[in-house]
Structures are given as C-alpha cells and as structure tokens.
Amino acid sequence: AQSVTQPDIHITVSEGASLELRCNYSYGATPYLFWYVQSPGQGLQLLLKYFSGDTLVQGIKGFEAEFKRSQSSFNLRKPSVHWSDAAEYFCAVGRDFGNEKLTFGTGTRLTIIP
Amino acid sequence: EAGVTQFPSHSVIEKGQTVTLRCDPISGHDNLYWYRRVMGKEIKFLLHFVKESKQDESGMPNNRFLAERTGGTYSTLKVQPAELEDSGVYFCASSLISSRGRYEQYFGPGTRLTVT
C-alpha cells in the first residue's frame, strides 16, 4: 500500500528566507506526486505535480519540487517566502493508472515571521 | 468557471443525529471523490464516483456513511447516526476522466463537521 510521510508537523521561517518542506513516499511503481496548499478558510489548491520527465517541476507561486527516486522523496522548495505563504502544505501520491484516489501525508503547517 | 462547492461549510450536531453533506463538482467532471481529515491526521480517501457509479468505496469507515450521486452531478454524503469520531473536515474533489490520470483533482473548501 502506498503511504506518504511529511516529517515536519510545523515549520517557522522568516519572511524572505528560503523554504524546504520534506515529503517521502512509499509506492511500488511509478508514482504521481502532488503538493497541495490549504490557506485558512480555503480548499486545497494544487501547487505542482509530477507525472514523468524532468524531475524538477515548477509550480505556482514560485514553488518548485524535485523528484528523487533513489530517496523516495519529493521535497517542496521556495527560495524566498512571503507572508502570504503561511498555510498548510500537503504532499500526496496517486497511482499510475489514473482516475484513482490520492494518498496524503499529515501536512506541514508553515508559519512566517516578519 | 465555478470551482467545487460544498454545503454546509460548518455543521454542529449531537451524537445520534443525522447530517447530510453536499458537494457540487465542477461541471463536466465525471470523477468525484470524498475525503476526510480528522484533526491532526492525514486527509483520507473515503470513496470515488465515476458519474453515478461507485468506483471505489474502500475508504468508507462503516455502514453509517451513505454516499450518493444521483444523475452523475452533485453528490451527498449522509452520516446516520453520527458518532463523536465522525468529527472532522470532509473534502470533496472532482476531476475529468483520463486514461492516464493526468488530470488533477480540484478540491472544495470542505465541510467542518463537529459531533458533540
């Protein structure tokens, strides 16, 4: 069975600092990988996704993530965070057959300090 | 284009009562998913509709939960009778049908259910 681990429950960074949120997955085949963000009072919004090809994927809001098969990781990065990035971030994995459920991690809550 | 909408946004009910949650997917999205997040835990899959048919209901916790999608449009999730452990945020998501799963799931804002 597939699983996703987000080891950091809560991260605090200063505005303008760089950010890396960790995600490790367990899956027996080629995964589809996603990062979603949930701002207060909002639904989950897709930041970026990896299906195949280039292992460094660019997303919205200046985020990027790198798929490392050897480490079973899909870490999310941003070079300089903004106060509006404060939210909860979820990593998810889907199967390669499509149209199927996503398996999520427990989420990482990001706090930005001025 | 309207996104996925869910109603109500919040619901507080007593143990033993019935609650019905509604999800309106994006028009044209034949895939509809229900997920739930219990406080502090991961978002967990409940079930998946393709049009009006249940494709996968492996995540439904027990027979107190009943999901329907009549006509393949909106969906309802009924909890009857509600228990304390049913509290959480219920998310609905929808997506287009794809042979290779390359269409993202669009999520609604969720319904926060509190059972007291």
Side-chain angles (χ1 to χ4, degrees):
Chain A
Q2 57 220 52
S3 66
V4 177
T5 301
Q6 293 182 249
D8 304 305
I9 296 173
H10 187 198
I11 284 182
T12 300
V13 299
S14 299
E15 190 168 14
S18 63
L19 172 70
E20 182 169 31
L21 303 183
R22 296 182 289 167
C23 172
N24 292 93
Y25 68 91
S26 173
Y27 185 63
T30 301
Y32 286 172
L33 293 160
F34 307 83
W35 274 98
Y36 282 87
V37 60
Q38 185 181 23
S39 300
Q42 305 295 313
L44 294 167
Q45 180 184 22
L46 183 69
L47 282 176
L48 47 79
K49 59 195 176 202
Y50 172 78
F51 289 142
S52 64
D54 192 346
T55 56
L56 183 64
V57 293
Q58 303 297 320
I60 61 171
K61 305 184 179 186
F63 285 92
E64 66 177 26
E66 186 171 12
F67 170 58
K68 293 185 177 180
R69 184 186 300 276
S70 61
Q71 298 177 20
S72 297
S73 69
F74 189 56
N75 294 349
L76 181 71
R77 301 193 294 249
K78 187 170 185 178
S80 176
V81 298
H82 185 262
W83 64 266
S84 60
D85 293 324
E88 192 158 19
Y89 292 79
F90 296 91
C91 181
V93 62
R95 278 162 53 110
D96 194 23
F97 294 160
N99 305 312
E100 295 195 19
K101 63 186 178 185
L102 297 178
T103 298
F104 285 86
T106 50
T108 297
R109 181 166 297 281
L110 176 65
T111 297
I112 309 294
I113 55 176
Chain B
E1 174 182 278
V4 177
T5 57
Q6 294 186 245
F7 182 83
S9 57
H10 293 86
S11 180
V12 181
I13 61 172
E14 294 183 352
K15 176 182 172 180
Q17 290 185 321
T18 297
V19 63
T20 300
L21 314 181
R22 173 171 170 143
C23 168
D24 286 81
I26 293 172
S27 178
H29 283 194
D30 287 333
N31 284 318
L32 188 148
Y33 306 83
W34 284 98
Y35 293 86
R36 177 175 73 173
R37 188 184 191 202
V38 172
M39 185 177 293
K41 301 285 186 69
E42 70 270 32
I43 299 168
K44 278 194 171 180
F45 167 80
L46 295 178
L47 87 160
H48 170 208
F49 284 100
V50 177
K51 297 185 180 178
E52 66 275 8
S53 299
K54 291 176 185 175
Q55 183 77 11
D56 179 359
E57 49 185 330
S58 62
M60 294 288 264
N62 50 60
N63 59 11
R64 295 185 294 102
F65 289 74
L66 175 64
E68 295 180 326
R69 192 183 183 193
T70 307
T73 55
Y74 72 92
S75 174
T76 58
L77 180 65
K78 179 189 288 188
V79 185
Q80 178 183 30
E83 298 288 345
L84 297 178
E85 63 264 26
D86 301 331
S87 296
V89 180
Y90 291 76
F91 292 101
C92 176
S94 71
S95 73
L96 293 167
I97 291 283
S98 164
S99 62
R100 291 291 294 173
R102 291 174 181 260
Y103 290 117
E104 67 179 87
Q105 294 182 23
Y106 292 83
F107 281 77
T111 293
R112 182 175 297 277
L113 174 64
T114 302
V115 183
T116 63

